[in-house]
Amino acid sequence: MAESSAVLLDPLLILRSSIASNTPPVPTISPDASAGNATDNLAVATHLHFSSPSHQTYELSAPTRFISSSTPVDLRSIYFAWQKKDVAIPDYIASAQQLNEELTAPGGAGGKVQNLVFVERLDLITWLEGASDESEYITPLEGDEGRAAAAGAAMVASGAVGGVATVTSAGGRTGKTINPRLQEIYNGERRMGDRNTVLRGIKPTDFSHVRKSAEAYLGRTRARPSAPAATASTSIRPVSSTPAIPPSIPSHPKKSSRRPDPIILLSPSASSLLRMSNIKPFLESGSYTPPAPTSTTTILHISRLLPSIDAARPLRFILVDSPDQFKPDYWERVVAVFTTGQTWQFKSYKWSNPGDLFGRVLGVYLGWRGEEVPESVRGWGRGVVNVGVDKWIEGRKGEGRWRDREVVESIWGQIEGWMKGRGWGANAG
């Protein structure tokens, strides 16, 4: 019961539940949640009222379990980051500065909005949307910590591991109490993994080709003439008809509990037919429209069901037009690169040479139907898929563009086949 109450009173979990139920909270200028106190201006709002999953009102200055630079982030900063989830990083920073000025101005609610860095904001938005149940920046609830402490105490008592922990007897008496300052130090320690967790990595690897090679080798061995009869002192071990699996390759590898989101890179070129302003409706609804002259969006999310990868859950793709904010391991999640044939696009990539890039990542070139594919794209070989859409005619407002859907399905089919060949289906969590 105590754990259930903690979940219902946690502002982060209530905000996540309200987003999932499509009933966003309402900022108010007082604890009273009446309609007259509601406001859209975060600079004057002092409280945040939730109507789902239960009626709760929290102060916007209340700290949350989201930690940034070893400091809890207040609810106002969390709600502001969610409101600005689709804007570009420069616009988000400028909006935060403007809001801080309004908060300290006469009539403002006071306080300050904390500016989250790109990785923290992406992790927070992913968690709030429900795409991930884990976040490295959110501390666990007291109930979760209690279960972890109990499990650790049990391992210490059994002699499996060593350490200092608070051990509670069956009668509820505490056998040993840790100094609060010492416990605070323990809580700040980074958990270390064993050699299995360290060497596992995040790159999905398919070892099915090793099994096929072993089966072919064992088949040739069985087809050879039998060896001379062994002496009485030599025992003959029968060969199993089932191909043996090397002991180093588990037949049922343990799947990761958290599936990484695949990434699609777009071309930032002004001549590209697909940019951040029109790529999402194109890939989702199969209808092409020209890109907007200017766009401040730097990151998009698209969900797509790929049956051969995971027939039960749609995959969540991340779309960006620049790898400037990439961590080193993000490159292992890139599954496709849209290109116009201009090599300057790859200067900031991990593999700046097109031959190396499209040997590791699927390339997609989209041009007008009937026009010749650039010589540079043809020279990159089979690693780049060439597709074409009908030319856009002003005034027709998208009429007669039924063939766009065929092009989109062809692109998704190529992406799905490439991902399956790289082992994504074997690693679907």
Side-chain angles (χ1 to χ4, degrees):
M1 180 64 70
E3 180 183 354
S4 176
S5 300
V7 172
L8 291 176
L9 295 177
D10 181 66
L12 279 180
L13 289 177
I14 291 184
L15 177 58
R16 188 187 191 199
S17 299
S18 67
I19 293 172
S21 61
N22 199 21
T23 53
V26 178
T28 61
I29 58 176
S30 72
D32 184 8
S34 59
N37 293 327
T39 179
D40 293 331
N41 189 357
L42 273 182
V44 299
T46 58
H47 292 75
L48 195 62
H49 176 72
F50 296 88
S51 58
S52 175
S54 62
H55 287 276
Q56 299 283 349
T57 302
Y58 295 92
E59 292 186 4
L60 285 170
S61 59
T64 66
R65 294 184 292 116
F66 193 91
I67 306 299
S68 174
S69 302
S70 304
T71 304
V73 180
D74 62 356
L75 184 58
R76 189 191 306 273
S77 301
I78 297 293
Y79 182 67
F80 176 74
W82 168 254
Q83 283 187 320
K84 302 298 182 181
K85 62 185 179 69
D86 293 325
V87 305
I89 296 176
D91 294 338
Y92 166 71
I93 296 175
S95 299
Q97 293 175 348
Q98 181 180 356
L99 179 57
N100 285 331
E101 294 175 358
E102 295 176 357
L103 285 170
T104 56
K112 180 181 180 181
V113 167
Q114 186 169 347
N115 182 17
L116 302 180
V117 299
F118 173 80
V119 177
E120 295 174 342
R121 188 162 67 111
L122 179 61
D123 186 272
L124 172 64
I125 294 172
T126 302
W127 186 85
L128 288 175
E129 288 180 338
S132 172
D133 292 331
E134 302 173 359
S135 172
E136 59 180 301
Y137 300 100
I138 298 179
T139 59
L141 290 170
E142 294 181 0
D144 297 334
E145 292 178 344
R147 287 192 297 271
M155 296 182 69
V156 172
S158 64
V161 297
V164 180
T166 301
V167 181
T168 304
S169 65
R173 294 177 300 173
T174 302
K176 184 176 182 180
T177 302
I178 301 177
N179 182 280
R181 175 56 180 163
L182 187 58
Q183 183 63 53
E184 183 180 353
I185 295 175
Y186 287 155
N187 294 338
E189 290 182 349
R190 182 184 295 272
R191 294 184 179 180
M192 303 298 292
D194 56 14
R195 64 179 182 179
N196 292 325
T197 58
V198 172
L199 297 177
R200 182 176 180 83
I202 63 171
K203 180 179 180 181
T205 306
D206 183 10
F207 290 103
S208 59
H209 65 284
V210 179
R211 299 183 184 180
K212 294 179 181 178
S213 300
E215 183 178 358
Y217 173 77
L218 293 175
R220 290 197 302 267
T221 303
R222 290 194 297 268
R224 293 176 182 175
S226 59
T231 60
S233 60
T234 305
S235 60
I236 301 177
R237 180 178 298 175
V239 178
S240 173
S241 60
T242 303
I245 299 177
S248 60
I249 305 176
S251 59
H252 297 285
K254 183 179 179 182
K255 296 181 180 180
S256 172
S257 60
R258 180 179 181 182
R259 177 176 60 189
D261 296 334
I263 300 174
I264 297 177
L265 273 169
L266 305 181
S267 171
S269 173
S271 61
S272 177
L273 299 185
L274 291 176
R275 302 191 66 185
M276 297 296 289
S277 59
N278 67 337
I279 182 66
K280 188 169 184 177
F282 179 71
L283 292 181
E284 284 185 338
S285 60
S287 177
Y288 177 81
T289 55
T294 58
S295 176
T296 57
T297 304
T298 58
I299 182 171
L300 294 170
H301 300 94
I302 290 180
S303 294
R304 173 80 179 192
L305 183 66
L306 303 182
S308 65
I309 307 298
D310 190 341
R313 294 183 300 168
L315 273 76
R316 182 173 181 266
F317 290 82
I318 298 176
L319 279 68
V320 293
D321 60 359
S322 173
D324 293 343
Q325 302 293 336
F326 273 23
K327 290 183 179 180
D329 60 305
Y330 284 12
W331 284 105
E332 304 298 339
R333 296 158 51 185
V334 177
V335 297
V337 173
F338 282 77
T339 180
T340 59
Q342 299 166 302
T343 55
W344 60 262
Q345 174 186 349
F346 317 127
K347 286 186 178 181
S348 59
Y349 286 16
K350 180 179 180 181
W351 305 288
S352 57
N353 182 274
D356 296 336
L357 174 65
F358 297 118
R360 296 174 171 86
V361 179
L362 176 68
V364 180
Y365 170 79
L366 181 78
W368 296 124
R369 191 186 304 273
E371 290 190 356
E372 187 176 358
V373 178
E375 182 67 26
S376 58
V377 176
R378 292 201 303 268
W380 293 338
R382 295 183 299 175
V384 181
V385 178
N386 302 322
V387 291
V389 294
D390 295 330
K391 285 190 175 181
W392 177 264
I393 301 177
E394 294 293 341
R396 297 186 62 176
K397 298 181 181 180
E399 298 176 358
R401 302 201 62 87
W402 53 270
R403 289 197 291 188
D404 291 348
R405 168 63 68 177
E406 297 179 359
V407 176
V408 171
E409 294 300 325
S410 172
I411 294 174
W412 279 120
Q414 293 288 342
I415 294 176
E416 181 177 3
W418 186 93
M419 293 177 64
K420 181 176 175 59
R422 297 307 188 278
W424 280 79
N427 196 45

